[in-house]
Amino acid sequence: MHRDPVTSSDMNNATYSGQPLPELQNYIDGNFSTPAQDKQLTLTDANTGQPLQVRRSSDREQIQSALEAADQLHAQGSFEEMSGVERAELLERVADELAGDDYADIISRADSLTSGAIIRTTRKMAKLLPLVFRGAAAYLRAGHLDKLVPGPCGDVEYLRRPWGPALLIAPWNGPTAIGSHKVASALAAGAPCILKPSEFTPHSAIMMARAIHKAGLPKGAFQLTLGDRTIAGQMVEDPRIKAVSFTGGLSGGRAIARACADDFVPTQLELGGNNQLVVFEDADLDKAATGIAYGLTNLNGQWCRALGRLLVHESVKERLLDKVLSILATIRLGHSLDEESDMGPLVHKGQYDQIQRDLERLTSCGGRLLSATPLPQLPGYFIAPTLVDDCNATDTREEVFGPVAAVHTFKDDSEALVLANGTDLGLAGYVYSENTERAFAFARRMRTGGVKINGYSLLSIGEGTPRSAWGLSGLGEEGHAQSIEFFTGARVIGISPQDLLGGK
């Protein structure tokens, strides 16, 4: 249920559960500053629609200051020329700061309130924050950016050095985990970076800026600019930006790719995924039903690897759906700060309205809505997790970024594979079968970045493995090693033999 939010002139001292939200500030060239009000728009409580803070957006002068500071530091070369051990020590100091002074509590509560993700999930993400910086530091200490390889005339230096200033654009879903991963990776690479968080969930970025400031990183190494996509567009098109890491929607990814194409600026794009979950007739249906419910409810269905299409063998469809609906009936959909809630609201009214339009479109295509989760008596942006049955597969090829998934049946493995590869997106896949040899064989043929078998989880399942995007799901790979190396180019230096003139 939902009611339109009320308006307010200024909520800069907004509180929740008796605690103030972090003040909305930029961090530019080593200094905090307050951006201008953003057209009287407000951040709202996803649970109630009530306003929390007036949104703020960087002006052109602030953006230019951030670009200039990053460019100057890179031109000086001091940050790039630090040894890996020296940069690792800086990252460890950031991690130490983030591990104390209630950072996790402030971040998790702010993220829950603004994004709608339940506090149990945002708390886990916030507590992982120091580990992200420690992981990047460990990668540097292992010497991965400075190696010696054999050459014909002695050892050859194989160095990875930063392209230059990097623009990091983080989304409103998972702002802490995604934002921190980008920041730690860029800093580890020696790339001065500018973080542009989502205008809807900026608080974890502000808290990271505070920790980085206290850790004493060089001015210009990390900067934070608040605002919407228009300020990101200004920075993407600036020639001082030498790499862009973006997580968000397909239209935004396409715009960034076009802006970067002429000058071949490296781009790392993680966009979206209409992720397929395949249930074979020999699957453990209780296990599969749990995975389906998780895929619909984790982060309120608002994450890039959420369930998009359920592909189930026709012989077990009805039994499986009964089990899924039984689980969904036990899901407590409620306030995101309630420790007992299993699922919270959508992030804001625009997202709520979009999901309603998606459901209307699917029902107009013949879809039958299946849902069993009671709605709470709250005026926020709540939508119960919903399966949509009876649609044609051609009508469900596009991603619905919310707690909604289509259901399709198949008769055999060949038909299942056609369905599984039947979209232009390829981020994640899931396979349930008690015959693991069969499951692996099928998963290897799925055109997607990763496939998890007989389980559904938020984090990666293999240490050191990348998160890859295929098709319209993006470009490039993410992970500790992959993301750090994205911000760098190879430089190979060594003594060479002299070939004879004339090719003799």
Side-chain angles (χ1 to χ4, degrees):
M1 71 172 37
H2 164 74
R3 292 197 298 267
D4 289 336
V6 300
T7 59
S8 176
S9 59
D10 198 332
M11 278 66 60
N12 283 322
N13 295 317
T15 62
Y16 56 97
S17 299
Q19 299 184 20
L21 285 166
E23 182 181 354
L24 300 182
Q25 290 184 307
N26 283 339
Y27 181 67
I28 297 173
D29 199 17
N31 296 297
F32 288 95
S33 60
T34 302
Q37 292 187 8
D38 191 358
K39 306 170 188 176
Q40 293 298 312
L41 299 174
T42 60
L43 289 173
T44 59
D45 181 344
N47 302 281
T48 65
Q50 295 294 315
L52 296 169
Q53 287 173 304
V54 171
R55 274 173 33 186
R56 296 193 171 272
S57 184
S58 306
D59 59 26
R60 184 169 292 275
E61 182 179 350
Q62 291 167 324
I63 292 168
Q64 290 301 315
S65 295
L67 289 165
E68 182 64 22
D71 188 57
Q72 284 186 359
L73 180 62
H74 182 64
Q76 292 168 5
S78 57
F79 191 52
E80 173 183 345
E81 291 165 8
M82 277 186 181
S83 70
V85 171
E86 289 175 307
R87 281 206 302 277
E89 289 174 352
L90 290 176
L91 292 170
E92 291 281 7
R93 292 215 299 265
V94 176
D96 290 342
E97 181 63 32
L98 288 168
D101 291 337
D102 299 321
Y103 278 89
D105 184 59
I106 294 170
I107 289 171
S108 61
R109 287 176 172 271
D111 282 353
S112 282
L113 199 67
T114 54
S115 75
I118 59 172
I119 188 68
R120 297 201 308 270
T121 298
T122 59
R123 186 180 294 123
K124 288 178 183 178
M125 296 298 101
K127 288 182 177 179
L128 288 174
L129 190 51
L131 301 181
V132 174
F133 285 86
R134 295 197 201 284
Y139 186 83
L140 291 179
R141 293 186 190 281
H144 292 295
L145 299 185
D146 296 273
K147 298 178 182 179
L148 294 176
V149 298
C153 301
D155 286 338
V156 173
E157 293 182 355
Y158 170 28
L159 313 176
R160 299 203 68 89
R161 294 294 180 262
W163 301 113
L167 175 61
L168 319 176
I169 306 174
W172 50 259
N173 65 315
T176 298
I178 296 172
S180 64
H181 176 72
K182 293 181 188 295
V183 171
S185 299
L187 293 176
C193 59
I194 302 173
L195 174 63
K196 206 298 285 183
S198 168
E199 62 271 32
F200 300 110
T201 54
H203 300 101
S204 62
I206 294 165
M207 297 304 293
M208 271 193 287
R210 293 182 185 179
I212 287 170
H213 181 74
K214 290 182 179 180
L217 266 68
K219 290 184 177 181
F222 168 82
Q223 298 178 95
L224 170 64
T225 55
L226 301 185
D228 61 17
R229 68 184 65 183
T230 59
I231 75 160
Q234 294 174 44
M235 291 188 284
V236 165
E237 295 174 352
D238 193 282
R240 288 168 288 191
I241 292 296
K242 302 302 182 185
V244 180
S245 178
F246 171 81
T247 301
L250 178 58
S251 61
R254 281 176 163 154
I256 288 170
R258 292 188 187 104
C260 294
D262 283 349
D263 293 327
F264 307 119
V265 174
T267 55
Q268 183 185 53
L269 307 174
E270 184 181 72
L271 307 179
N274 193 12
N275 307 299
Q276 325 283 325
L277 188 151
V278 183
V279 181
F280 288 110
E281 71 278 8
D282 61 352
D284 180 325
L285 296 187
D286 291 321
K287 189 184 297 183
T290 299
I292 293 162
Y294 182 89
L296 283 170
T297 61
N298 183 56
L299 289 174
N300 311 335
Q302 299 177 127
W303 57 305
C304 51
R305 289 172 174 78
L307 176 59
R309 300 209 301 178
L310 169 60
L311 314 178
V312 55
H313 192 276
E314 60 184 11
S315 67
V316 297
K317 172 189 168 182
E318 297 305 326
R319 282 190 292 146
L320 178 64
L321 293 183
D322 285 345
K323 290 178 180 292
V324 173
L325 291 172
S326 293
I327 294 174
L328 293 180
T330 69
I331 294 294
R332 180 171 177 178
L333 181 57
H335 198 291
S336 61
L337 292 182
D338 187 340
E339 297 284 353
E340 300 301 317
S341 292
D342 301 310
M343 181 179 174
L346 303 189
V347 61
H348 53 60
K349 185 177 186 298
Q351 185 69 7
Y352 175 90
D353 291 343
Q354 179 59 55
I355 300 303
Q356 294 289 11
R357 288 193 294 270
D358 289 331
L359 289 170
E360 290 170 5
R361 178 184 65 82
L362 292 171
T363 54
S364 71
C365 294
R368 180 169 57 96
L369 305 185
L370 307 175
S371 182
T373 305
L375 289 170
Q377 295 301 309
L378 290 169
Y381 311 114
F382 293 90
I383 291 182
T386 303
L387 292 172
V388 185
D389 198 9
D390 295 336
C391 279
N392 190 293
T394 58
D395 295 322
T396 66
R397 298 180 73 247
E398 297 182 2
E399 178 185 33
V400 176
F401 200 67
V404 177
V407 181
H408 301 293
T409 59
F410 59 86
K411 296 179 181 179
D412 54 36
D413 291 23
S414 297
E415 188 176 2
L417 189 64
V418 170
L419 287 168
N421 291 333
T423 79
D424 295 325
L425 299 159
L427 200 62
Y430 308 88
V431 176
Y432 284 79
S433 170
E434 289 301 281
N435 183 334
T436 55
E437 183 177 348
R438 177 191 189 186
F440 271 90
F442 187 88
R444 294 185 192 107
R445 300 176 68 190
M446 293 177 69
R447 292 195 292 270
T448 188
V451 181
K452 295 178 179 178
I453 294 173
N454 290 335
Y456 209 131
S457 60
L458 179 60
L459 302 178
S460 298
I461 55 174
E463 183 177 352
T465 59
R467 299 181 299 278
S468 179
W470 285 53
L472 295 184
S473 285
L475 183 66
E477 300 173 354
E478 294 189 341
H480 264 318
Q482 294 80 12
S483 292
I484 294 171
E485 293 194 0
F486 162 74
F487 294 105
T488 68
R491 191 174 297 163
V492 180
I493 305 167
I495 298 173
S496 171
Q498 177 60 59
D499 289 349
L500 297 176
L501 296 175
K504 295 180 181 180

